[in-house]
């Protein structure tokens, strides 16, 4: 079984650098996919209230027999539940669906700037952290301006910002900001939902290393220092995406992938999604 490296978050909690995402997987199918992932060796699972599959994740965790302290479970607060009291209630509902007494990471899913509630919401997450109901708190889809503003009123610096990130959208300004504040960068849609897998540079590096295009892109993330959470419901791909710890890209290989940056956003724009 592959050994997945951990990164250490800014509060000392460790998090696997590679995890398993379940966006767009129906609840029933989620149980089977997470069971396959846990069996393959994944220990970090990324879900969200809005995915509608926290129960499916919880069933797989309960049936797996994997000790709770070996798991790293992330879920996210949906936009409609932003605000101090509603965030606390939404957290309780997520925990209940997951069948857990705590999560490892709780994220504000989107800044939704037009709602102007993320600073109030953050205070609720700080309370959840202080009460030991989550081991770390963070944000998702925060742009530099949202993060800078949050940091002005926050008592706790977010441990993580989970953002769309892949060779086609490299988010350098955000990654620099994260580095300055000790915030871990977690890449969602690390494979750009497949959109970068036929890029010539990716395909030619796959041939060079005798690996798949997805494995090349995941290696780029890992060597760049990103946390990755590729999603698949296909058993062979679930294994393939984990089988990335026994080869390395050279500096030239990394440069060839870094040259693919082109503002390729596959998901919503965080400035306008509300
Ligand atoms: N915070 C946010 O706002 C946010 C937004 C989006 C996603 N996320 C998180 O990030 C996770 C990953 O993102 P994502 O699901 O959007 O996209 P992704 O992981 O970049 O790509 C998933 C797609 O790629 C395919 N795939 C997976 N492994 C492959 C491989 N080895 N070779 C070829 N194709 C492969 C999958 O197909 P099959 O499943 O059919 O195998 C699926 O269609 C999500 O599941 C979710 O947990 C967070």
């Amino acid at each position: 079984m592959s050994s997945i490296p951990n990164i250490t978050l800014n509060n000392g909690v460790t998090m696997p650098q590679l995890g398993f995402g379940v966006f767009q997987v129906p609840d029933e199918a989620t149980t089977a996919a997470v069971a396959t992932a846990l069996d393959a060796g994944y220990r970090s699972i990324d879900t969200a209230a809005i995915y509608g599959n926290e129960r499916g994740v919880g069933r797989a965790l309960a049936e797996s027999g994997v000790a709770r302290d070996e798991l790293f479970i992330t879920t996210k607060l949906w936009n409609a539940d932003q605000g101090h009291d509603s965030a606390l209630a939404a957290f309780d509902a997520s925990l209940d669906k997951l069948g857990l007494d705590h999560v490892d990471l709780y994220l504000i899913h989107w800044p939704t700037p037009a709602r102007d509630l993320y600073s109030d919401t953050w205070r609720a997450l700080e309370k959840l952290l202080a009460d030991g109901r989550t081991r770390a708190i963070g944000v998702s889809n925060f742009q530099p301006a949202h993060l800078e503003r949050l940091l002005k009123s926050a008592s706790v610096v977010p441990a993580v910002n989970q953002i769309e990130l892949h060779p086609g959208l490299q988010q350098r300004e955000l990654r620099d900001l994260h580095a300055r504040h000790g915030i871990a960068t977690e890449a969602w849609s690390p494979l750009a939902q497949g959109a970068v897998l036929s890029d010539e540079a990716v395909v030619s590096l796959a041939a060079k290393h005798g690996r798949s295009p997805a494995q090349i892109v995941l290696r780029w993330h890992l060597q760049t220092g990103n946390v990755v959470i590729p999603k698949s419901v296909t058993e062979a791909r679930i294994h393939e995406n984990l089988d990335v710890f026994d080869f390395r890209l050279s500096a030239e290989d990394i440069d060839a992938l870094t040259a693919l940056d082109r503002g390729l956003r596959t998901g919503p724009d965080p400035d306008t999604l509300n």
Side-chain angles (χ1 to χ4, degrees):
M1 190 180 286
S2 305
S3 159
I4 303 171
N6 284 320
I7 63 150
T8 302
L9 301 175
N10 61 14
N11 65 353
V13 167
T14 57
M15 173 179 193
Q17 198 184 357
L18 188 146
F20 185 69
V22 294
F23 178 43
Q24 293 176 319
V25 186
D27 191 59
E28 273 303 321
T30 297
T31 304
V34 172
T36 302
L38 292 172
D39 206 37
Y42 293 80
R43 289 294 177 266
S44 166
I45 310 293
D46 182 84
T47 184
I50 195 66
Y51 299 171
N53 56 20
E54 288 169 314
R55 284 190 200 284
V57 170
R59 274 194 301 273
L61 299 179
E63 289 164 9
S64 72
V66 178
R68 177 67 187 89
D69 63 3
E70 284 181 33
L71 295 165
F72 191 99
I73 309 303
T74 302
T75 193
K76 314 184 193 84
L77 175 78
W78 185 238
N79 303 342
D81 294 317
Q82 282 209 32
H84 182 274
D85 294 353
S86 44
L88 294 176
F91 178 83
D92 287 345
S94 281
L95 218 51
D96 183 56
K97 286 180 183 153
L98 286 161
L100 298 176
D101 65 2
H102 71 281
V103 292
D104 297 280
L105 178 63
Y106 195 48
L107 304 176
I108 298 180
H109 204 147
W110 292 87
T112 63
R115 290 174 195 261
D116 197 18
L117 284 170
Y118 59 76
S119 295
D120 276 353
T121 306
W122 188 249
R123 278 186 275 283
L125 268 64
E126 289 176 337
K127 174 169 169 45
L128 293 169
L129 180 70
D131 291 349
R133 305 190 71 205
T134 178
R135 296 174 65 229
I137 53 176
V139 295
S140 177
N141 298 302
F142 274 47
Q143 298 280 64
H146 311 133
L147 213 41
E148 302 268 25
R149 182 162 171 245
L150 182 68
L151 288 168
K152 285 195 183 116
S153 62
S155 305
V156 175
V157 175
V160 168
N161 188 13
Q162 185 187 111
I163 55 173
E164 181 176 352
L165 178 57
H166 43 72
L169 181 73
Q170 293 181 24
Q171 305 264 28
R172 285 165 211 219
E173 183 189 355
L174 259 176
R175 280 162 48 209
D176 289 348
L177 186 63
H178 295 167
R180 286 202 295 282
H181 292 282
I183 299 168
T185 300
E186 184 173 18
W188 64 252
S189 292
L191 307 173
Q193 298 199 340
V196 295
L197 300 183
S198 50
D199 281 10
E200 202 185 317
V202 175
V203 171
S204 89
L205 286 172
K208 174 181 163 186
H209 288 275
R211 294 289 176 147
S212 73
Q215 289 174 321
I216 296 297
V217 171
L218 292 171
R219 245 351 280 181
W220 173 84
H221 281 288
L222 294 168
Q223 289 182 224
T224 304
N226 305 328
V227 176
V228 276
I229 43 171
K231 168 264 175 186
S232 178
V233 292
T234 312
E235 184 168 356
R237 289 173 171 174
I238 291 174
H239 286 271
E240 176 185 319
N241 294 343
L242 190 60
D243 184 17
V244 291
F245 297 107
D246 61 349
F247 77 106
R248 282 191 73 78
L249 300 175
S250 69
E252 295 74 33
D253 297 341
I254 296 281
D255 289 348
L257 296 168
T258 301
L260 298 176
D261 198 8
R262 57 186 183 278
L264 174 70
R265 203 178 266 290
T266 64
D269 181 343
D271 282 318
T272 54
L273 183 94
N274 288 289

